Amino acid sequence: MLEKIRRFFKDRGLFVSGLSGRTQAEDVLGTEAPGDAGEGGLSAFQIGREASAPAFYLNINGTEDVERYLQLFVLDMEDLHKAIAAYAEQNADLDEESRGKVSRLNVRILRAKDLMGNRRGKKILENCRAKLTVEEQRQEMAREIGKLLSEWVMQKVLDPIYEEPSPVYAFVLQKINTFLAHWGVMTLPMQEGERMDYDLPCDVLEGSEEGAEGQHETIRKIYHYPYVWKEDREDLLPVWNGSVSLWR
């Protein structure tokens, strides 16, 4: 089955990292690590447009593609889980507390993989088969894969790393960034101190503080970046809304 999937994508000129023997970092980001997850290292979370592949669903041209991409997603999630598990188990520099933190995050990745490999993936395939056009199938895949990434990878794994940045998570963050980039997810650029762009898919937290003259409506703190699917269009589909507070 894996060989058939590999040949399918090769015939279409597509490269699939999970079936190639190369690491995902080599496929998408080369040898560059996406920064350090130490305190203040927001840049470590960024996935730039140049680092991200086009959104995977743009390659879908029928139900056969939907089924294969669902299988590939599960395989890549499994690779991600195994890589983080090996890091937690084999890294002698991790103390027991740090190893436990990494392992608890990794359980959530495993849960997401299991959901997609079972009832959730079957439901998505069923829904896509009922669609009348390829574009509707693409929209369904973008929505459902994005929803799973948001609920399980971003809210349950990335958000805790944003809240408690530590070098302990640098490897985990690098692997997750590379996984997301490979599937066509990128972050939108924003900086603390710049004027807020209300057109961005971003939530502004209540209770933003009063700023000095010139600070009004500028970003006081970024809690996490907006994550979107990479396409050549202005109205990019959000995967996970950003979160900021402003100077009022």
Side-chain angles (χ1 to χ4, degrees):
M1 175 62 74
L2 294 183
E3 184 58 34
K4 288 182 180 179
I5 295 173
R6 187 184 292 110
R7 286 200 303 269
F8 172 85
F9 284 95
K10 183 178 180 181
D11 290 344
R12 286 158 173 76
L14 303 175
F15 182 73
V16 183
S17 66
L19 304 178
S20 68
R22 293 177 62 186
T23 66
Q24 291 174 324
E26 288 171 326
D27 296 332
V28 182
L29 301 178
T31 57
E32 296 181 5
D36 180 14
E39 290 191 28
L42 268 178
S43 62
F45 294 88
Q46 294 174 353
I47 307 172
R49 171 173 283 274
E50 70 286 349
S52 177
F56 78 95
Y57 52 82
L58 298 175
N59 295 313
I60 289 175
N61 291 295
T63 303
E64 186 179 355
D65 292 342
V66 169
E67 188 169 9
R68 286 186 171 89
Y69 269 106
L70 288 172
Q71 292 170 343
L72 286 168
F73 187 82
V74 172
L75 290 172
D76 273 6
M77 287 289 290
E78 184 174 5
D79 286 346
L80 177 64
H81 170 72
K82 287 180 177 178
I84 295 174
Y87 166 75
E89 293 169 5
Q90 300 171 13
N91 191 334
D93 293 334
L94 290 180
D95 56 33
E96 287 303 315
E97 181 181 1
S98 298
R99 185 173 289 107
K101 289 180 178 180
V102 171
S103 296
R104 283 191 290 274
L105 294 181
N106 203 25
V107 166
R108 297 162 189 174
I109 293 173
L110 178 62
R111 175 62 174 155
K113 188 271 293 186
D114 289 343
L115 280 173
M116 189 57 68
N118 293 295
R119 63 180 183 275
R120 196 155 179 174
K122 292 177 181 177
K123 182 63 175 177
I124 294 172
L125 180 58
E126 179 183 328
N127 289 343
C128 285
R129 282 176 173 156
K131 301 301 181 184
L132 298 178
T133 67
V134 166
E135 183 57 33
E136 287 178 331
Q137 290 182 333
R138 291 177 177 179
Q139 292 174 5
E140 180 74 9
M141 287 288 278
R143 180 171 55 252
E144 292 301 325
I145 297 294
K147 183 178 179 181
L148 182 129
L149 288 175
S150 174
E151 291 175 349
W152 286 93
V153 175
M154 294 161 179
Q155 295 180 42
K156 296 183 182 295
V157 180
L158 280 182
D159 205 29
I161 300 176
Y162 270 107
E163 292 180 357
E164 187 189 355
S166 166
V168 167
Y169 298 127
F171 178 86
V172 177
L173 182 57
Q174 178 182 344
K175 285 296 183 182
I176 292 175
N177 279 0
T178 307
F179 170 84
L180 293 173
H182 172 68
W183 282 87
V185 175
M186 67 180 197
T187 57
L188 294 178
M190 55 170 38
Q191 293 183 358
E192 293 176 358
E194 71 180 11
R195 185 161 296 279
M196 181 63 193
D197 181 354
Y198 288 98
D199 290 333
L200 294 177
C202 198
D203 300 325
V204 177
L205 300 186
E206 295 183 3
S208 296
E209 299 181 17
E210 291 291 333
E213 185 176 354
Q215 285 186 314
H216 304 301
E217 301 300 312
T218 61
I219 298 173
R220 185 180 72 86
K221 182 176 177 60
I222 297 172
Y223 295 96
H224 62 257
Y225 291 110
Y227 289 74
V228 298
W229 291 114
K230 178 183 173 181
E231 292 192 55
D232 290 327
R233 51 189 271 186
E234 292 187 4
D235 55 333
L236 295 172
L237 299 175
V239 178
W240 189 34
N241 279 5
S243 178
V244 301
S245 61
L246 303 181
W247 292 108
R248 295 295 189 186

